[in-house]
C-alpha cells in the first residue's frame, strides 16, 4: 500500500551532482591546484569529462596544461587527467602526459617482460591480445590482467581479468558464447 511505499522511498540527495557510482566526492576536489595549470571545473563539465573522472576514469580529451605546479614550472604540454585520493583525504589530479619513449615496451611492466610479438600487438592494436600475470602494486601478489596502451598518451594500463563482466548484449547485438570466451581470453 501507500504507507509501505512511502516507508521504502529513498530521499533525493540535496546535491544534484552526487550520483551513484561516483568513486570521488566532488566536494573534496582541490580545484585551486587545477586552476594553476590552466584548467577549470567548468572546462571539465563543458567537455563532459568531469562525470567520467568522478567515476574513476581518465578524461577522454587531451588538455593543454602549463603553469606553476608546486615548486615546478610546467611547460605547455598535452595530457589526460584523472583523480586520486591523497593521504589527507582530499581529491587531487594526476596528469597523464604523452609518452614518446620508444623503449617503454622493452622495460618490464609491473615485473612482466613483453616479448616481441606482444610489443608489436601493443604498438599496432593497443591491446596485448591475451591475459597475462603481473605483480599487483598494492598487494605484491601475481594477478591476471588485460594490458592495453592508451592511443593518445601511449601510457600502459591494465584491468584485472577477474573483475571482467561481459554483458549478454552490446548495442542490441547478442554476444555469443564464443565471443564471450574470446573476450575473456583477451583476444
Amino acid at each position: 500500500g501507500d504507507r509501505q511505499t512511502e516507508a521504502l522511498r529513498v530521499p533525493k540527495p540535496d546535491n544534484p551532482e552526487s550520483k551513484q557510482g561516483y568513486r570521488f566526492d566532488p566536494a573534496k576536489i582541490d580545484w585551486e591546484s587545477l586552476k594553476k595549470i590552466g584548467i577549470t571545473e567548468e572546462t571539465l563539465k563543458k567537455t563532459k569529462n568531469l562525470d567520467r573522472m568522478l567515476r574513476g576514469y581518465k578524461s577522454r580529451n587531451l588538455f593543454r596544461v602549463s603553469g606553476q605546479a608546486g615548486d615546478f614550472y610546467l611547460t605547455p604540454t598535452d595530457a589526460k587527467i584523472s583523480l586520486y585520493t591523497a593521504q589527507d583525504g582530499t581529491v587531487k589530479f594526476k596528469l597523464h602526459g604523452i609518452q614518446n619513449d620508444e623503449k617503454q615496451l622493452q622495460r618490464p611492466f609491473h615485473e612482466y617482460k613483453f616479448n616481441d610479438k606482444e610489443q608489436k600487438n601493443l604498438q599496432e592494436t593497443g591491446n596485448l591480445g591475451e591475459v597475462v600475470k603481473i605483480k599487483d602494486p598494492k598487494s605484491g601478489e601475481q594477478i591476471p590482467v588485460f594490458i592495453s596502451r592508451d592511443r593518445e598518451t601511449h601510457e600502459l594500463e591494465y584491468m584485472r581479468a577477474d573483475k571482467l563482466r561481459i554483458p549478454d548484449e552490446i548495442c542490441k547485438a547478442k554476444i555469443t558464447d564464443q565471443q564471450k570466451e574470446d573476450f575473456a581470453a583477451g583476444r
Side-chain angles (χ1 to χ4, degrees):
D2 290 339
R3 286 183 186 164
Q4 287 177 328
T5 304
E6 190 60 36
L8 295 173
R9 182 172 296 178
V10 178
K12 290 184 178 179
D14 294 334
N15 181 0
E17 288 188 358
S18 63
K19 296 179 183 175
Q20 287 184 350
Y22 280 173
R23 188 171 166 190
F24 300 102
D25 180 1
K28 294 183 179 180
I29 295 177
D30 180 12
W31 292 109
E32 288 304 313
S33 67
L34 193 63
K35 279 184 186 175
K36 290 178 183 176
I37 60 169
I39 301 173
T40 63
E41 179 180 4
E42 291 75 33
T43 304
L44 293 178
K45 284 180 180 177
K46 284 179 188 173
T47 58
K48 298 180 180 173
N49 281 289
L50 183 59
D51 186 66
R52 176 179 173 77
M53 291 168 58
L54 290 172
R55 293 181 190 282
Y57 300 102
K58 287 190 298 188
S59 63
R60 285 192 194 277
N61 304 65
L62 286 169
F63 291 94
R64 190 75 168 167
V65 295
S66 65
Q68 193 76 25
D71 292 336
F72 298 97
Y73 177 77
L74 185 62
T75 57
T77 188
D78 292 324
K80 288 188 176 185
I81 304 168
S82 66
L83 299 170
Y84 73 96
T85 304
Q87 288 182 343
D88 64 359
T90 60
V91 178
K92 303 226 180 225
F93 293 91
K94 181 178 180 182
L95 296 178
H96 302 269
I98 297 173
Q99 300 177 15
N100 291 324
D101 184 4
E102 294 176 14
K103 295 183 180 182
Q104 176 187 19
L105 297 176
Q106 295 171 359
R107 292 189 294 266
F109 177 71
H110 297 282
E111 297 188 6
Y112 181 81
K113 181 103 170 93
F114 300 113
N115 62 37
D116 292 339
K117 178 185 171 199
E118 293 168 335
Q119 289 178 30
K120 184 178 178 185
N121 281 350
L122 284 166
Q123 288 174 329
E124 292 177 358
T125 68
N127 296 302
L128 192 61
E130 61 185 310
V131 176
V132 296
K133 289 192 175 194
I134 65 168
K135 183 178 179 181
D136 186 344
K138 293 179 183 173
S139 69
E141 66 180 285
Q142 293 289 315
I143 56 171
V145 297
F146 299 100
I147 298 176
S148 62
R149 189 173 186 210
D150 188 287
R151 290 180 182 161
E152 294 166 330
T153 66
H154 306 284
E155 182 178 26
L156 292 174
E157 304 166 328
Y158 71 89
M159 181 184 113
R160 290 184 65 132
D162 56 354
K163 304 282 185 196
L164 177 67
R165 302 289 176 256
I166 303 170
D168 292 330
E169 190 176 291
I170 298 176
C171 297
K172 298 180 183 178
K174 297 283 185 198
I175 307 301
T176 66
D177 290 338
Q178 180 62 46
Q179 289 170 322
K180 286 182 182 182
E181 197 176 296
D182 288 346
F183 191 58
R187 294 187 294 270

